[in-house]
Amino acid sequence: CLLVALWLQVAREHSSAMVDSGSHNFCRKLQDLNPSTISIQSLSKWMLFNYKGAASLVRTWYKEFLNLKPERKLVFLYLANDVMQQSRKKGRDFIIEWQKVLP
């Protein structure tokens, strides 16, 4: 029983570290995002590939979006649009998550 508890604790810590690392990685990708079609579609495909983390990705996207200068916000909206358009075909995870943060 003690061994199982220790194993669960290690698994939770590892999972938490992976989420933090993934969030940091995604933030870096968002910072590198530019208004080119290739940049937007590339990050959109990466997000769709990581669809299991849709809630976390959208929360991170939103936190970054709130701190942007107005001229940079449009690029983030282009990204959200592309992800939602593409995810319609595969599942509604991202659409549901963005409905929570966008008016």
Side-chain angles (χ1 to χ4, degrees), residues 38-71:
I38 291 172
S39 179
I40 293 165
Q41 288 178 345
S42 175
L43 187 49
S44 174
K45 287 179 184 178
W46 181 89
M47 290 177 72
L48 291 167
F49 180 78
N50 292 286
Y51 72 94
K52 290 181 181 177
S56 175
L57 291 173
V58 172
R59 274 193 311 272
T60 301
W61 176 94
Y62 188 64
K63 281 193 275 185
E64 295 294 316
F65 181 80
L66 291 175
N67 296 316
L68 292 174
K69 294 179 181 177
E71 61 272 8

Side-chain angles (χ1 to χ4, degrees), residues 58-59 61-63 65-66 73 76-84 94-103:
V58 172
R59 274 193 311 272
W61 176 94
Y62 188 64
K63 281 193 275 185
F65 181 80
L66 291 175
K73 287 186 177 187
F76 273 54
L77 291 172
Y78 287 152
L79 173 65
N81 179 60
D82 196 69
V83 171
M84 286 188 278
F94 281 102
I95 294 170
I96 291 167
E97 293 304 322
W98 261 302
Q99 283 177 334
K100 296 175 185 177
V101 298
L102 293 177

